[in-house]
Structures are given as structure tokens and as C-alpha cells.
Amino acid sequence: MEKENKQKKQRKPMSPDMVPEGFTVPLCIVDLIPVIGFFFSVIFLAKKTYFNYLFIFGGILCTISGLIKVWWKFIVAIKKKNVWWMFNQMRIIFPIAFLLFSIGLIDILKNYSGTILNATSYSKFFFTLWIIGMSLMTLFAIKLDSSDPKANWIEQITNGISQIFLCLAIEFL
């Protein structure tokens, strides 16, 4: 009996024929908010610093990947259908996009080190909180069951709060 309960609690990998249960339209909307927040943060930071192609391209690609995932959740919630490529792209496109975004961000920080390093302590504090939030999102992607609505709520609330921290960090920059 105990062994059966332990097996049920183990993470189930998503598969093309699996349709997650319990996804709702409010979850989809909550998932959309950090995607939009991230996009505007990319635009605002690009305007405050200088145009970096990797940063912009990675940020736009992250946004597109996030929007596709939100659309996938809407399809799951409303049509009860799993469009596999829409789910799977998040495991392929998003990490590449975020890597490009991060390389561009590092270049911005390097070229604007005087401005960034002399940023307000508020800005540094909120950037640190954003990095912690993104680290948690990476951990969640590895550890949590992506077909579990509760896990998705945890991820999206964490992501939403993290994107607020990014907006605040840029505002105080």
C-alpha cells in the first residue's frame, strides 16, 4: 500500500497522448501575466541601455515561447486536447532563448558596468530577487509535474512575482 502511494506521487513525464486534467482559464490568464511583464521589461531595459541583438532576440523568443505555452494551456483547459509541439517547444526553444537573452544581458551589464554597478541598492536587491525567482523556475521545471495544475499554479505565481521584481529592478536602475 505504501509503495503504491509513493509511485502515485512520483513525477509523471508529459507525453503526447496525455491530456492534463484540472487546467483552467484562470490558470492560463495567470500564466499570461508574467509573459507580458517579461516582454515589457526587455523593452524598457533595452531603452535604458543600448540595443543588444542577443538580448532583444532572446527576449522576443522567450516571449513567443511563453505565449505558445499559454496558448497550449488554453487549448488544454477549453478543448481538453494536448497539442504536443506547443508543450514540447518550452523544453527546447525557451532554454535556448533564455541563454541568448542572458548572454545579451551580461553584455549590457559589462558595457554599462558604471551605470549598473552604481545602481541603487533597490535595483540590485530586485535584480537579485529576480535571479532567485528564475532559479526557482528552473528547479520547478526539473522537479515538478508539468501536468499537475497545483504545480503550474506554484510556477506561475513564482514567475509572476519574479517578473514584478525585474520590472522594479529596471525602474530603480
Side-chain angles (χ1 to χ4, degrees):
M1 182 72 165
E2 189 177 316
K3 188 176 182 180
E4 289 176 21
N5 287 338
K6 190 175 183 180
Q7 287 176 341
K8 285 181 184 179
K9 289 182 181 180
Q10 286 180 345
R11 183 175 186 242
K12 297 171 284 186
M14 183 71 77
S15 64
D17 57 335
M18 176 189 287
V19 178
E21 294 181 20
F23 280 47
T24 62
V25 171
L27 174 62
C28 302
I29 293 168
V30 168
D31 194 357
L32 180 61
I33 294 167
V35 174
I36 293 169
F38 177 81
F39 176 73
F40 283 111
S41 293
V42 168
I43 299 304
F44 294 144
L45 187 58
K47 284 183 175 183
K48 281 192 173 212
T49 55
Y50 75 103
F51 193 84
N52 179 289
Y53 289 103
L54 286 178
F55 177 79
I56 297 293
F57 180 70
I60 290 171
L61 202 54
C62 283
T63 302
I64 291 169
S65 181
L67 289 172
I68 292 170
K69 184 180 177 203
V70 170
W71 191 247
W72 172 80
K73 284 185 181 178
F74 271 112
I75 292 170
V76 169
I78 296 168
K79 301 260 186 188
K80 308 295 184 216
K81 182 179 177 189
N82 182 359
V83 181
W84 179 246
W85 73 266
M86 293 175 87
F87 169 80
N88 205 36
Q89 62 84 28
M90 202 60 189
R91 305 284 188 227
I92 301 165
I93 295 173
F94 189 81
I96 294 168
F98 198 75
L99 177 64
L100 295 174
F101 166 82
S102 299
I103 291 168
L105 181 60
I106 290 167
D107 184 54
I108 288 171
L109 295 174
K110 184 181 77 176
N111 286 306
Y112 280 82
S113 61
T115 305
I116 303 293
L117 293 177
N118 294 326
T120 68
S121 56
Y122 291 123
S123 184
K124 292 175 186 176
F125 174 70
F126 288 124
F127 265 123
T128 301
L129 291 176
W130 176 71
I131 290 168
I132 291 169
M134 292 297 93
S135 299
L136 283 172
M137 290 297 294
T138 302
L139 182 65
F140 294 160
I142 295 167
K143 296 284 185 185
L144 295 181
D145 180 357
S146 56
S147 66
D148 179 19
K150 183 179 176 183
N152 274 266
W153 278 105
I154 292 168
E155 287 178 4
Q156 294 321 312
I157 289 170
T158 303
N159 194 9
I161 293 169
S162 297
Q163 298 315 318
I164 290 169
F165 291 148
L166 179 59
C167 289
L168 289 170
I170 294 167
E171 181 60 32
F172 287 111
L173 189 62

